[in-house]
Amino acid sequence: MRLNEHTVITGKSVILTPYVSEHVEQYHKWMQDPFLQEMTASEPLSIEEEYDNQKSWREDDEKLTFIILDRESESMIGDVNLFITENEDSAEVWNGEVEIMIAEESARRKGFISTWKFSAKPNFASP
């Protein structure tokens, strides 16, 4: 989503950075893993399809995609997808859904997600 194309969020143990083309190769490697395919209800894609997805997600009006970096090493460990839609009953209320994937096996069960705090009240303009 263009809304987050320049947004970097730094937390205690992770950095969320927009999903850009430089991340696609590693993301593609992760998504070849049958376990991750099953957990995310995904099918294996070609590298070209992954680049197409990255571009379409970047331009999507209702989806923000971030890559999760380990703050200490700055290595990619997963991703976050945030789906945002306007509430039909109120223009001041937005609906959201968050998907978090720790794809890097060595980063699982290390407490990266448990340390997150969500306390922001976003101020989004209508898409």
Side-chain angles (χ1 to χ4, degrees), residues 4 15-16 25 43 46 50-51 53 56 58 61-62 79-80 87-88 97 99 101-102 109-110 117:
N4 75 318
I15 299 169
L16 303 183
E25 190 173 315
E43 296 291 325
S46 69
E50 291 287 10
Y51 277 102
N53 276 351
S56 73
R58 182 103 172 168
D61 285 335
E62 296 183 346
D79 76 342
V80 174
N87 186 301
E88 294 177 8
E97 176 184 330
E99 297 176 347
M101 174 180 73
I102 300 298
R109 301 190 180 277
K110 302 285 186 191
K117 293 182 180 178

Side-chain angles (χ1 to χ4, degrees), residues 1 3 13 23 26 32 38 44 47 51 55 58 62 66 88 90 94 97 108 111-112 122 126:
M1 178 182 249
L3 185 62
S13 60
H23 298 129
Q26 178 62 49
Q32 301 308 300
E38 182 179 348
I47 190 71
Y51 277 102
K55 185 178 178 189
R58 182 103 172 168
E62 296 183 346
F66 291 94
E88 294 177 8
S90 172
W94 290 72
E97 176 184 330
R108 295 183 196 146
F112 287 109
S126 297

Side-chain angles (χ1 to χ4, degrees), residues 17-107:
T17 188
Y19 182 36
V20 296
S21 61
E22 291 81 10
H23 298 129
V24 172
E25 190 173 315
Q26 178 62 49
Y27 186 86
H28 178 67
K29 287 178 188 175
W30 288 338
M31 296 313 295
Q32 301 308 300
D33 180 342
F35 174 75
L36 290 179
Q37 290 173 13
E38 182 179 348
M39 293 295 103
T40 60
S42 299
E43 296 291 325
L45 300 176
S46 69
I47 190 71
E48 293 81 13
E49 291 170 315
E50 291 287 10
Y51 277 102
D52 289 344
N53 276 351
Q54 182 273 329
K55 185 178 178 189
S56 73
W57 295 344
R58 182 103 172 168
E59 296 171 357
D60 193 314
D61 285 335
E62 296 183 346
K63 181 178 182 178
L64 286 84
T65 302
F66 291 94
I67 292 297
I68 306 170
L69 304 176
D70 175 333
R71 186 169 174 186
E72 187 175 305
S73 67
E74 294 194 6
S75 61
M76 289 175 59
I77 61 170
D79 76 342
V80 174
N81 295 307
L82 176 60
F83 300 90
I84 301 173
T85 56
E86 273 188 272
N87 186 301
E88 294 177 8
D89 299 326
S90 172
E92 294 184 20
V93 176
W94 290 72
N95 298 321
E97 176 184 330
V98 178
E99 297 176 347
I100 302 170
M101 174 180 73
I102 300 298
E104 196 61 47
E105 191 170 354
S106 64

